[in-house]
Amino acid sequence: MSASQFTLPDLLAVCPLKGSTNPHYTLAAAESTAWVKSYNIFDERKLVFLLQGSSELLVSHAYPYAPYEQFRTCCDFVNLLFVVDEVSDDQNGKDARHTGEVFLNAMRYPDWDDGSALAKMTREFKQRLLAFAGPNSYRRFLMHCDDYVNAVAREAEYRERGEVLDIDSFQTLRRENSAIRLCFGLFEFALGIDLPDAIFQDAHFMTLYWAAADMVCWSNDVYSYNMEQAKGHTGNNIVTVLMRQKNISLQEASDLVGDHFTMLMGRFMEAKNQLPSFGAELDDAVAKYVVALGHWVIGNLEWSFESQRYFGAEHTKVQATRVVVLSPADEN
């Protein structure tokens, strides 16, 4: 007998990080929303879903330190990701790869244009990004764009075949198709820093980096599980992967997500304390980046219950009770 509800792990209780929001949220969010709506990409149902999801509110929690222009650009990027994600979610592998390549080509090549709204949106975002991005961070950002597009296409291919990956393979894919590396790639842009590649080759730094990335991915998956199962898109979710591989119930999988998140948080805090010095010129910039990682982790948790993205009109009730009643198919 399948479950009709499950209880979320209490991730906020094991997160010692302190959240914050960006003072530019109200104005920049309105401008970014108007920017997306002006392209008329979505039908009314998907547009309502976009607005209820409050993507810009997530950005406010995730980049509370960003100055106005950088914050507005981060809002545009998260909305652009929503466009790519929503379009590719309903596509097979071949079509999802094409959608991703439109985004990628517009990011890579100054004069590339296929006449699509997605290409124009991407070019406008790129113009804003280049106004403040340093050469190192921009080069890494383009590399992560490539990895993201490939991962989204692979996700669509797995969905087409009804294939669910094992835990290790899934985590590798999820780190890329979640776009979290792209979102982390905006830290330097928003902070006005440009770290050398050597920082991203340091084992202690990357332990921090991956712990933060995985905390965002695992929490997103348990929070979004109900929404995704109602759409029939459960394969790209760690909850489904755990249930299949370990032959456990939905509740047991949810509990395991909580255990793993707790372990990741401990790893993050320990690695932060063990971070070596990179020299006087770099230590301050690295410290700012580490703080930014923490803002994304706590910001994502807080936003998940403040917006209607995952829990709809019941979001405050779900935060209080942590009980999620499974929706019937296609209700979301």
Side-chain angles (χ1 to χ4, degrees):
M1 183 175 169
S2 60
S4 60
Q5 65 181 48
F6 72 103
T7 302
L8 296 168
D10 194 355
L11 304 183
L12 282 164
V14 297
C15 183
L17 305 168
K18 301 300 178 190
S20 186
T21 53
N22 194 296
H24 304 298
Y25 165 67
T26 302
L27 178 59
E31 289 186 356
S32 190
T33 298
W35 176 69
V36 177
K37 289 172 73 174
S38 71
Y39 285 96
N40 297 312
I41 289 177
F42 295 127
D43 59 26
E44 191 62 30
R45 184 181 67 84
K46 285 208 170 184
L47 186 60
V48 167
F49 181 60
L50 168 67
L51 298 178
Q52 283 183 341
S54 307
S55 298
E56 300 92 350
L57 183 60
L58 170 60
V59 178
S60 178
H61 280 283
Y63 306 92
Y65 47 83
Y68 177 79
E69 285 297 331
Q70 290 90 326
F71 178 70
R72 163 66 204 275
T73 304
C74 290
C75 287
D76 287 355
F77 180 64
V78 172
N79 278 327
L80 179 59
L81 281 178
F82 182 90
V83 171
V84 175
D85 190 50
E86 281 301 302
V87 171
S88 64
D89 258 0
D90 297 324
Q91 292 179 321
N92 60 29
K94 181 182 176 183
D95 292 341
R97 190 171 293 278
H98 174 74
T99 296
E101 285 175 352
V102 170
F103 163 71
L104 194 57
N105 286 332
M107 284 297 299
R108 277 178 175 160
Y109 308 117
D111 301 320
W112 191 89
D113 186 10
D114 69 345
S116 67
L118 176 57
K120 189 175 182 189
M121 290 179 77
T122 304
R123 283 202 315 278
E124 290 181 5
F125 158 72
K126 177 184 172 183
Q127 189 175 8
R128 286 180 169 275
L129 181 69
L130 284 172
F132 297 98
N136 292 327
S137 61
Y138 184 67
R139 178 175 38 78
R140 285 190 295 264
F141 190 84
L142 285 181
M143 181 181 70
H144 295 323
C145 284
D146 199 0
D147 292 338
Y148 166 69
V149 166
N150 285 326
V152 167
R154 289 204 310 277
E155 175 196 340
E157 290 162 3
Y158 295 137
R159 184 170 62 243
E160 206 177 350
R161 297 198 297 262
E163 184 176 346
V164 177
L165 299 176
D166 61 67
I167 293 172
D168 290 340
S169 300
F170 176 79
Q171 179 158 282
T172 300
L173 179 73
R174 196 77 183 103
R175 286 171 168 180
E176 301 297 348
N177 73 358
S178 65
I180 193 59
R181 301 195 76 187
L182 291 172
C183 293
F184 286 4
L186 293 177
F187 290 160
E188 293 161 272
F189 161 79
L191 289 164
I193 60 177
D194 193 35
L195 297 174
D197 288 345
I199 302 298
F200 295 88
Q201 293 160 2
D202 178 81
H204 288 292
F205 181 85
M206 291 310 293
T207 295
L208 265 170
Y209 180 100
W210 287 124
D214 290 344
M215 281 191 280
V216 173
C217 291
W218 284 61
S219 58
N220 265 7
D221 279 6
V222 75
Y223 290 162
S224 66
Y225 178 81
N226 180 42
M227 179 184 78
E228 290 175 6
Q229 66 84 27
K231 287 181 176 180
H233 290 173
T234 56
N236 184 52
N237 192 300
I238 191 61
V239 175
T240 300
V241 172
L242 290 168
M243 289 168 68
R244 293 275 186 94
Q245 183 157 348
K246 294 181 176 292
N247 194 27
I248 57 176
S249 68
L250 172 56
Q251 186 59 59
E252 288 170 321
S254 176
D255 294 343
L256 276 182
V257 170
D259 294 343
H260 191 69
F261 184 95
T262 302
M263 183 276 294
L264 289 169
M265 181 58 74
R267 180 184 293 171
F268 179 85
M269 301 304 288
E270 183 179 354
K272 187 162 72 166
N273 293 331
Q274 294 177 351
L275 206 61
S277 172
F278 297 98
E281 289 184 9
L282 286 175
D283 281 350
D284 183 59
V286 170
K288 288 178 179 176
Y289 193 105
V290 171
V291 170
L293 286 169
H295 277 303
W296 237 106
V297 173
I298 181 61
N300 180 62
L301 298 181
E302 292 180 339
W303 165 79
S304 295
F305 294 108
E306 284 181 27
S307 85
Q308 296 190 37
R309 169 78 183 195
Y310 298 137
F311 307 118
E314 300 284 296
H315 60 106
T316 52
K317 180 182 177 183
V318 172
Q319 181 173 12
T321 65
R322 293 188 287 116
V323 173
V324 177
V325 177
L326 295 183
S327 304
D330 293 326
E331 184 175 292
N332 294 313

